[in-house]
Amino acid sequence: MMPAVGCGNDEWDLRYLQSGSRCRRSVLRGEEGMQRWKAHYKDILHDTDIEILNTEGDYSTDPLSFTLDGITFQGTGLGDFRLADPERQEEAGRKFALLKWGGHHSKYHVTSPYRYDLQRYALEAEIPVSVFRKRDGQTVGGRILLAFRYERPDMSKSHSIVLCDDERVYRDEAVVSEFSLYVDGKGYKSRKMTLWFEEALKDISAQMKDSYYMKCCFTCQYSDYSPYGSDDYGIMLCYCRHKDACLKVNGKDDFFAFLEGKDFDGRQETYLCSRYSPRDRAAGYRGFVEGVADQGRGGKGTAIQGRQ
C-alpha cells in the first residue's frame, strides 16, 4: 500500500526521481478545442509515458487531466493535479502518494470537502505554443519543455497554511530542472527555475526578443493577471470583449478604473485565438513583454512595466 502524504504520514522520499526522465517529444491535437500533450510520469511505482488532455477551457473547469493505473487526476496547471473522484481515495492511495486536506476547521467554523492532491512524483511535459518570427513575419510552431519533481518540503522554509481538519499538513516542494522554449532548432532556457509561468516566460521573452516573440495570451494586448493574485498557470483574464477599455490601462489604478467588474474569460498563457493582438499599445496591469512592445514601437527602446 502506498503511504499517504499528510494527515499523519510523510515518510515517502523522492530522491530516486533525480535520474533523467524520458519524455516523448510530440504533441497531438484531437477534436476542436482539445490538445493532447505527451509527457513522462515517474513515481515509486510508475515510470511511463502518459497523455495529458487539455480542453483549453476556462480555468474554472480544471482543463488538464490524465489517467494512469486506472486513476484520473485533474488540475488547472501541471503542478496542481488532484484526484478527480474523491470517492476513490482509498484505491488511489494504494497506487499514488496523496496529500489529504480540507474538512472541518474549528477555528474558522468552516467545513469543506476533502481534497487529495498528487504528491511525490516527477513530470516532464511538452506544451505547444505559437511563435512569431521577426525576420520574415511568419508564425511558426514552438514547444515549451517543462520538467520538475515534487519532493519532501524543506521545513526550514516558510510554508503556506494547509489544514486537514484541524491538523496542519505540508505540500511537497517543487524542484524545477528545466523550463525552456524551442523554436527553429534553437533553445531558450529560462534562468527562473519555477512553475510560475509569468516569471519564466518573461525571462525567455527577454532572451529571444531580437528574433522572436510568443504569439499567445501571454503576449496579447487584451489579457492580464488579476491584481488580487494569480496561480502559476492557466488563469489569465481575457478582456477581448472590452478592447477599448484595455487600451486605457497602464497600471493597477487604471485596471480598477476601466476593467474591474467587467466580464472576462479565464485562459491559459499559451492559448491563441483569432482575436489575438500584440501587446504593444498599452501596458495593462502586468506590463509590456520584451520583444513585443519593441516590435510595435519600431524597435525604439524597451517598454517594460512590472506589476505593482
Side-chain angles (χ1 to χ4, degrees):
M1 180 174 179
M2 297 288 286
V5 178
C7 286
N9 194 332
D10 194 19
E11 297 302 319
W12 200 24
D13 202 293
L14 199 69
R15 285 190 294 269
Y16 70 94
L17 285 176
Q18 295 179 10
S19 59
S21 56
R22 307 189 309 274
C23 178
R24 187 174 61 205
R25 290 178 170 82
S26 61
V27 179
L28 302 177
R29 182 177 291 274
E31 57 269 27
E32 184 68 24
M34 173 76 76
Q35 290 183 341
R36 299 176 183 271
W37 298 351
K38 293 301 179 182
H40 191 87
Y41 176 95
K42 187 174 183 180
D43 65 21
I44 198 170
L45 294 181
H46 309 90
D47 187 356
T48 184
D49 291 335
I50 63 171
E51 186 175 73
I52 298 175
L53 302 182
N54 177 18
T55 65
E56 298 188 292
D58 191 285
Y59 64 84
S60 63
T61 62
D62 282 335
L64 302 183
S65 66
F66 72 90
T67 300
L68 177 61
D69 209 353
I71 303 296
T72 298
F73 295 93
Q74 62 186 45
T76 300
L78 290 171
D80 73 341
F81 284 111
R82 61 182 174 84
L83 186 62
D85 182 1
E87 296 297 321
R88 301 186 64 187
Q89 58 87 16
E90 185 173 346
E91 176 189 359
R94 294 193 291 267
K95 302 175 180 180
F96 300 92
L98 304 174
L99 174 71
K100 177 183 178 182
W101 61 282
H104 180 70
H105 312 308
S106 57
K107 179 179 179 180
Y108 303 104
H109 305 288
V110 172
T111 300
S112 61
Y114 288 119
R115 173 169 165 157
Y116 301 88
D117 290 357
L118 184 61
Q119 303 280 270
R120 305 291 164 86
Y121 67 95
L123 188 69
E124 182 177 319
E126 183 179 287
I127 303 172
V129 63
S130 295
V131 178
F132 181 83
R133 187 168 57 202
K134 293 185 177 182
R135 63 177 170 82
D136 59 5
Q138 296 297 308
T139 299
V140 296
R143 56 188 176 90
I144 293 171
L145 182 62
L146 176 59
F148 66 93
R149 66 183 185 274
Y150 271 121
E151 60 183 31
R152 184 194 307 275
D154 183 349
M155 301 309 294
S156 67
K157 300 179 181 178
S158 60
H159 298 273
S160 59
I161 296 177
V162 182
L163 297 176
C164 178
D165 294 321
D166 284 329
E167 178 184 350
R168 186 171 181 181
V169 294
Y170 295 87
R171 289 193 173 96
D172 278 357
E173 187 170 328
V175 179
V176 179
S177 56
E178 182 168 5
F179 197 129
S180 302
L181 172 67
Y182 294 91
V183 59
D184 286 343
K186 305 179 184 71
Y188 299 90
K189 187 171 184 177
S190 173
R191 292 160 293 195
K192 307 284 188 178
M193 290 292 100
T194 177
L195 292 179
W196 206 270
F197 270 64
E198 181 184 13
E199 291 302 310
L201 295 184
K202 282 168 60 177
D203 184 69
I204 289 172
S205 295
Q207 293 180 43
M208 65 180 192
K209 63 181 180 180
D210 293 333
S211 302
Y212 303 94
Y213 65 78
M214 286 168 280
K215 188 175 179 181
C216 54
C217 278
F218 183 71
T219 61
C220 182
Q221 183 66 74
Y222 308 123
S223 67
D224 222 320
Y225 288 107
S226 170
Y228 298 104
S230 60
D231 213 338
D232 53 11
Y233 178 74
I235 56 173
M236 297 206 78
L237 312 182
C238 172
Y239 288 101
C240 63
R241 290 185 292 274
H242 308 285
K243 295 179 180 179
D244 291 341
C246 288
L247 297 179
K248 299 176 183 178
V249 178
N250 285 285
K252 182 186 290 188
D253 291 343
D254 289 343
F255 183 97
F256 286 118
F258 299 110
L259 290 178
E260 175 73 356
K262 287 184 166 56
D263 62 312
F264 59 84
D265 295 317
R267 292 299 181 193
Q268 298 167 343
E269 280 81 348
T270 52
Y271 183 78
L272 176 64
C273 76
S274 60
R275 291 171 289 188
Y276 173 84
S277 181
R279 194 178 189 83
D280 58 11
R281 287 169 286 170
Y285 161 59
R286 61 188 171 98
F288 287 113
V289 178
E290 287 198 66
V292 185
D294 290 354
Q295 183 78 358
R297 294 163 184 263
K300 298 179 180 179
T302 300
I304 301 295
Q305 177 178 327
R307 294 206 245 171
Q308 299 177 354

